[in-house]
Amino acid sequence: MTSDYTPISCELYSEYELAIMRGRTLKVRWKDRYGMDRVETLRPTDLRTRRHAEFMIARNQLGQRRVLRLDRIVMKEEM
């Protein structure tokens, strides 16, 4: 169980939904599961809930799949 998850605002969640619907690319900075900073240009494809936490499913510029926990995203910028 992911009991340390902190829900994000509905407004931010809606922004991710819009990015998916419009096929937008985002520059995203997040903390990985080890606490390391990561920055990548991603195209979000889906949002999911698993074990009481929300995740973004995305592809990077090389087509590699990324799964980011939404509360670990520190910054996002539309490209």
Side-chain angles (χ1 to χ4, degrees):
M1 177 174 250
T2 311
S3 60
D4 65 333
Y5 181 76
T6 303
I8 65 166
S9 72
C10 292
E11 180 181 355
L12 184 54
Y13 193 90
S14 293
E15 287 180 29
Y16 293 136
E17 288 179 315
L18 285 172
I20 292 166
M21 290 187 312
R22 295 177 177 162
R24 300 283 164 88
T25 300
L26 305 174
K27 182 177 180 181
V28 181
R29 183 171 55 129
W30 74 96
K31 299 262 185 206
D32 68 15
R33 63 181 158 200
Y34 306 108
M36 302 294 295
D37 280 336
R38 304 272 314 262
V39 178
E40 236 177 324
T41 300
L42 301 173
R43 181 169 300 226
T45 58
D46 200 4
L47 297 170
R48 300 226 175 121
T49 302
R50 184 176 62 210
R51 294 189 213 142
H52 307 287
E54 297 168 307
F55 297 85
M56 174 192 293
I57 313 303
R59 297 266 174 197
N60 68 9
Q61 293 176 314
L62 299 175
Q64 298 166 320
R65 187 173 185 253
R66 298 285 183 250
V67 179
L68 311 177
R69 206 170 89 173
L70 296 185
D71 66 336
R72 291 187 179 154
I73 296 175
V74 178
M75 181 271 308
K76 60 115 178 112
E77 176 181 312
E78 198 166 307
M79 302 298 290

